[in-house]
Amino acid sequence: MKSKTTLHVLLVLSFIGAGTSAFSYLMMAAFLPRFSDYYATHPEMLPIVMHTAWDRIEAIPRLYYLAGGILYLFEIVGCVLMWKVRSTGFHYYSLSRLLLLVLPLLFLGKGYLGLGDIMFAALFIFMYYMILKSLGAFSAPSDSEDNVSGNDDQSAS
């Protein structure tokens, strides 16, 4: 598979993951008090087995959900910039992924940091770095669109 095609496939996966996560985190940040009030007045709407899980979710501060939602939005911005083969997109993406790994440590404790999360973040960062490096994104002068599109035009001629 060509580097650009591989990049686009990975970016689509990242868009899906970051988009759904940003939406859910921001919805929880916005509506957590309303959900809590609703389930407190209508406990029959929540299955019995979910009461313990809801108590744990409710104990998480709203700031955690807000910070996570914002970091996922930065990840989306990084993906958009990487789609345009910009090195700054890689930096946005990498920084947001690393901060998303640190976020549970700050709010919830060490028990909420998963090895799988670390491995997937490292894998995607490494793959994006290698693909963008092969496409010349890091050697291009300060994110100029002309350089990236100019290389494609010259190779097509």
Side-chain angles (χ1 to χ4, degrees):
M1 213 186 303
K2 290 184 178 180
S3 293
K4 202 148 192 170
T5 305
T6 306
L7 176 67
H8 288 168
V9 168
L10 290 173
L11 286 172
V12 166
L13 293 173
S14 293
F15 279 127
I16 292 168
T20 56
S21 295
F23 178 76
S24 64
Y25 271 68
L26 292 174
M27 289 298 107
M28 285 300 288
F31 297 114
L32 184 62
R34 290 187 182 163
F35 289 149
S36 297
D37 292 344
Y38 181 76
Y39 290 135
T41 57
H42 300 88
E44 70 279 357
M45 297 303 290
L46 193 64
I48 300 292
V49 296
M50 292 295 295
H51 283 284
T52 305
W54 180 252
D55 291 340
R56 294 176 91 189
I57 291 170
E58 198 175 29
I60 297 172
R62 286 176 67 190
L63 184 59
Y64 170 79
Y65 294 113
L66 181 63
I70 291 170
L71 288 173
Y72 278 116
L73 289 176
F74 276 118
E75 185 176 327
I76 292 170
V77 169
C79 290
V80 169
L81 291 172
M82 282 193 290
W83 190 279
K84 298 176 182 181
V85 192
R86 305 261 180 101
S87 62
T88 53
F90 172 77
H91 299 298
Y92 274 104
Y93 177 86
S94 300
L95 185 62
S96 64
R97 287 305 309 162
L98 295 174
L99 289 175
L100 280 165
L101 290 174
V102 173
L103 191 65
L105 292 173
L106 295 175
F107 284 93
L108 308 174
K110 288 190 290 186
Y112 289 89
L113 180 63
L115 182 61
D117 295 337
I118 295 170
M119 290 172 59
F120 269 108
L123 176 68
F124 271 72
I125 289 170
F126 175 74
M127 290 177 72
Y128 282 135
Y129 175 76
M130 294 307 291
I131 293 169
L132 289 171
K133 184 179 176 186
S134 73
L135 291 172
F138 297 111
S139 60
S142 70
D143 293 333
S144 70
E145 291 179 31
D146 299 333
N147 188 23
V148 173
S149 62
N151 289 341
D152 292 341
D153 293 339
Q154 291 172 359
S155 63
S157 300

